[in-house]
């Protein structure tokens, strides 16, 4: 099974990224997590990205805040799919990170989830790996069915709320 990489720009991103790691674990996807900064350790960013495919990775989640160039720089050095995760780590509430990630120039795409959307980053990573991995695809199917069941249960509870209706 291909591995997922979870790269974050700083140890201060760890808490916001933990939801992605938890979700990857839930799907049983092997992963590595690293702190690599596009600005503070650019050489390591290049080395990681350019070697990622040969090391068995199939997808890379890149989480960063402020001027969040990590996903873009990683994408510049690999043909693996890169998912940007904007972190709310500045006075601009993560909008700066979001725009830094999504506004990539033509030729170097980066997928992007919501600000703080760690769980979705992992689900999207699973969906990418699930294209060629039936085990992951099966777990995604179960996950979505359980999610639908929980919403239906909540709707049922709502219909029984005599305090509202
Ligand atoms: C970004 O700057 C990191 O991804 C982090 O979100 C933000 C702040 O980093 P620290 O100054 O807390 O290390 O590069």
């Amino acid at each position: 099974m291909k591995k997922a990489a979870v790269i974050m720009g700083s140890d201060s991103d760890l808490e916001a990224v933990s939801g992605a790691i938890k979700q990857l674990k839930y799907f049983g996807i092997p992963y590595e997590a690293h702190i690599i900064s596009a600005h503070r350790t650019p050489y390591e960013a290049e080395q990681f990205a350019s070697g990622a495919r040969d090391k068995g990775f199939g997808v890379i989640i890149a989480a960063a805040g402020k001027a969040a160039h990590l996903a873009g720089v990683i994408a510049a050095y690999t043909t693996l799919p890169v998912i940007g995760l904007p972190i709310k780590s500045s006075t601009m509430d993560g909008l700066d990170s979001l725009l830094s990630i999504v506004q990539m120039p033509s030729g170097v795409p980066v997928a992007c989830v919501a600000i703080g959307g760690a769980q979705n980053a992992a689900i999207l990573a699973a969906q990418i790996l699930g294209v060629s991995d039936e085990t992951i695809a099966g777990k995604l199917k179960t996950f979505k069915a359980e999610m639908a069941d929980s919403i239906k249960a909540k709707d049922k509870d709502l219909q029984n709320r005599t305090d509202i209706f």
Side-chain angles (χ1 to χ4, degrees):
M1 187 184 289
K2 294 278 186 195
K3 293 184 287 184
V6 182
I7 310 300
M8 64 204 91
S10 168
D11 60 331
S12 65
D13 297 325
L14 190 53
E15 193 182 336
V17 168
S18 63
I21 293 172
K22 198 173 157 194
Q23 194 65 42
L24 289 172
K25 278 184 176 171
Y26 173 88
F27 288 130
I29 295 172
Y31 69 91
E32 284 183 27
H34 295 283
I35 299 165
I36 302 175
S37 167
H39 306 117
R40 293 165 174 159
T41 57
Y43 175 73
E44 283 71 16
E46 180 206 329
Q47 290 295 298
F48 180 85
S50 42
R53 183 181 288 276
D54 288 345
K55 286 185 180 149
F57 291 100
V59 63
I60 300 172
I61 296 171
K66 296 186 174 173
H69 299 140
L70 182 60
V73 167
I74 296 275
Y77 287 109
T78 183
T79 53
L80 293 176
V82 177
I83 302 167
L85 169 56
I87 303 294
K88 182 178 168 177
S89 60
S90 80
T91 50
M92 297 176 80
D93 279 342
L95 184 60
D96 45 352
S97 321
L98 175 71
L99 296 178
S100 300
I101 292 172
V102 293
Q103 290 289 69
M104 287 296 290
S106 296
V108 190
V110 166
C112 185
V113 294
I115 298 165
Q119 187 189 23
N120 266 3
I123 295 169
L124 183 54
Q127 291 184 185
I128 289 166
L129 297 178
V131 169
S132 56
D133 187 305
E134 289 303 321
T135 305
I136 297 174
K139 287 181 179 171
L140 278 161
K141 201 171 173 186
T142 304
F143 172 79
K144 299 224 171 197
E146 287 173 356
M147 181 169 59
D149 286 346
S150 91
I151 299 301
K152 285 187 262 183
K154 285 175 186 173
D155 179 58
K156 200 173 171 189
D157 288 347
L158 181 65
Q159 304 316 312
N160 294 329
R161 287 278 297 269
T162 50
D163 56 323
I164 297 176
F165 301 115

